[in-house]
């Protein structure tokens, strides 16, 4: 009995040894024949085919963004205030905020190609900050696609589109950093609101918030907290039924809103500091999204004369991310100096590294447009 037990152990040990030896030989064979894939984050490890793939991916994203921008509308009311909206369906319906068109039954809409059309408000809520405009001339236009299969999640990458401070068809990038927020801005009650970090300003209201991966609408940009560089959007999934109801059966009588301007002189005009702060935010957001053409276009003529586009773009070859942390504007003789704290993540010696930088923008009017005249930055102490 004892001999059988010992023989059984010897057989088991032999089988285990053979299994281990076979595993080692198999691993060695795999290591010799399987090529290690380089990281796409380290640019100097990319071969030409991988570079072409990433460039094509970036081009596709830019094309998708351009297509989305064609479906975003600037809205002007009779009192001169400006807001944003987006094409909702192929029948000419445009979705926006209620506070954008409050006390107006007819508005002017301006498309990306600068065409101007008359729009009629066919639905507006007294409690939720949403409204619908009918624009017959937009019938047949392709609408933005809606995200109705999932709610926004924290860390989702987003794009805020609109016409802030009259800068038509701008895009800022950020991420969802809070959900299910609730607050009140009389007379509107905001519930289950998404909070995001993309910079928005007056004029963004009513524009779409897109998931940057799918380019689908996840919300309607509705409020801002400029001191914290935060924006808030109404989830489109929560208000779709009400929007569809107005489209099917337009309101015959619109409510009035005492809280909102009803005289031309009451229209909000952005200050020079507000415009300059937005330009700085827009510049950084364009860099974050990889839209270097837009970022370069915000630079003044002298800056562009001294720095070619290729040289400018090459500055960001190792950049992984860039985000605005704090900013303030100081008016100086018709110009504004914007001081900002910016966090950058870059590839340094083959590894990602995060650092804070102090930025100084000098922003001035150049031929009727706000431009970055000078830009300096250094690592924060």
């Amino acid at each position: 009995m004892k001999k059988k037990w010992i023989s059984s152990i010897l057989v088991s040990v032999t089988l285990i040894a053979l299994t281990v030896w076979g595993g080692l030989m198999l691993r060695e064979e795999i290591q010799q024949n399987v090529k290690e894939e380089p990281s796409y984050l380290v640019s100097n490890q990319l071969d030409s085919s991988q570079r072409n793939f990433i460039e094509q991916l970036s081009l596709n994203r830019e094309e998708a963004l351009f297509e989305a921008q064609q479906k975003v509308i600037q809205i002007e009311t009779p009192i001169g205030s400006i807001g944003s909206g987006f094409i909702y369906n192929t029948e000419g319906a445009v979705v926006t905020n209620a506070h954008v068109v409050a006390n107006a039954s007819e508005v002017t809409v301006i498309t990306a190609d600068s065409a101007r059309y008359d729009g009629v408000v066919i639905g507006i809520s007294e409690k939720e900050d949403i409204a619908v405009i009918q624009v017959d001339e937009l019938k047949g236009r392709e609408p933005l696609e809606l995200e109705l299969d999932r709610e926004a999640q924290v860390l989702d990458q987003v794009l805020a589109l609109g016409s802030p401070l009259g800068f038509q068809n701008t895009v800022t990038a950020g991420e969802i950093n809070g959900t299910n927020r609730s607050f009140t801005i009389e007379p509107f009650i905001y519930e289950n609101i998404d909070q995001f970090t993309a910079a928005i300003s007056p004029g963004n209201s009513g524009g779409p918030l897109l998931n940057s991966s799918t380019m689908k609408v996840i919300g309607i940009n509705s409020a801002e907290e400029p001191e914290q560089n935060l924006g808030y959007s109404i989830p489109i999934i929560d208000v779709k039924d009400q929007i569809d109801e107005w489209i099917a059966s337009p309101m015959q009588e619109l409510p009035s809103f005492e809280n909102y301007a009803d005289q031309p002189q009451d229209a909000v005009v952005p200050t020079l500091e507000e415009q300059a702060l937005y330009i700085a935010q827009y510049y950084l957001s364009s860099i974050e999204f990889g839209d270097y053409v837009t970022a370069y276009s915000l630079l003044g003529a002298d800056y562009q004369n001294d720095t070619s586009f290729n040289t400018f773009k090459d500055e960001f070859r190792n950049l992984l991310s860039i985000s605005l942390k704090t900013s303030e504007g100081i008016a100086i003789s018709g110009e504004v100096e914007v001081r900002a704290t910016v966090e950058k993540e870059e590839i340094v010696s083959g590894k990602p590294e995060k650092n804070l930088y102090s930025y100084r923008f000098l922003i001035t009017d150049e031929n009727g447009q706000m431009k970055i005249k000078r830009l300096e930055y250094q690592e924060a102490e």
Side-chain angles (χ1 to χ4, degrees), residues 163-370:
S163 300
L165 306 178
F167 297 104
Q168 188 176 6
N169 234 337
T170 65
V171 182
T172 54
E175 67 180 20
I176 299 291
N177 68 343
T179 59
N180 199 29
R181 300 287 193 257
S182 296
F183 52 87
T184 299
I185 303 177
E186 292 292 346
F188 303 111
I189 299 172
Y190 300 83
E191 295 180 339
N192 191 35
I193 301 302
D194 294 327
Q195 176 181 295
F196 58 90
T197 60
I200 63 173
S201 296
N204 263 118
S205 293
L209 186 71
L210 306 183
N211 181 304
S212 62
S213 297
T214 64
M215 302 304 285
K216 294 181 180 180
V217 178
I218 60 174
I220 306 167
N221 301 324
S222 303
E224 60 166 327
E225 195 172 352
E227 293 80 8
Q228 303 296 323
N229 295 311
L230 294 175
Y232 299 90
S233 71
I234 300 172
I236 191 67
I237 197 171
D238 290 350
V239 295
K240 183 180 185 300
D241 289 345
Q242 178 61 80
I243 292 169
D244 290 341
E245 183 179 327
W246 285 327
I247 293 171
S249 180
M251 296 176 68
Q252 299 301 308
E253 185 175 347
L254 303 178
S256 60
F257 297 84
E258 295 181 359
N259 301 58
Y260 288 88
D262 57 5
Q263 298 295 329
Q265 59 267 29
D266 293 330
V268 176
V269 178
T271 65
L272 194 63
E273 289 90 340
E274 288 176 325
Q275 295 181 61
L277 283 168
Y278 183 78
I279 288 293
Q281 294 170 342
Y282 188 23
Y283 171 86
L284 293 170
S285 187
S286 298
I287 297 297
E288 167 70 12
F289 187 67
D291 185 1
Y292 303 115
V293 173
T294 295
Y296 189 72
S297 72
L298 296 174
L299 303 174
D302 289 342
Y303 197 114
Q304 291 185 1
N305 287 337
D306 293 337
T307 307
S308 71
F309 174 72
N310 288 334
T311 300
F312 169 77
K313 183 178 179 180
D314 195 50
E315 293 178 14
F316 309 102
R317 63 186 181 279
N318 293 321
L319 182 70
L320 298 179
S321 67
I322 184 169
S323 59
L324 177 67
K325 296 302 180 183
T326 64
S327 62
E328 63 174 343
I330 304 171
I332 307 171
S333 302
E335 299 178 331
V336 179
E337 182 179 287
V338 174
R339 298 175 182 175
T341 301
V342 175
E343 183 181 76
K344 291 165 55 172
E345 184 176 14
E346 301 170 285
I347 294 296
V348 179
S349 300
K351 296 180 180 180
E353 184 177 299
K354 285 186 178 181
N355 289 297
L356 288 177
Y357 290 84
S358 296
Y359 270 67
R360 295 177 65 185
F361 300 83
L362 183 62
I363 299 173
T364 187
D365 182 277
E366 187 175 288
N367 299 320
Q369 292 184 316
M370 298 294 285

Side-chain angles (χ1 to χ4, degrees), residues 29-47:
E29 180 71 15
I30 291 172
Q31 288 176 337
Q32 290 176 351
N33 290 281
V34 177
K35 183 180 180 181
E36 182 180 358
E37 293 295 330
S39 169
Y40 284 146
L41 292 178
V42 185
S43 59
N44 60 11
Q45 293 180 355
L46 300 179
D47 61 29

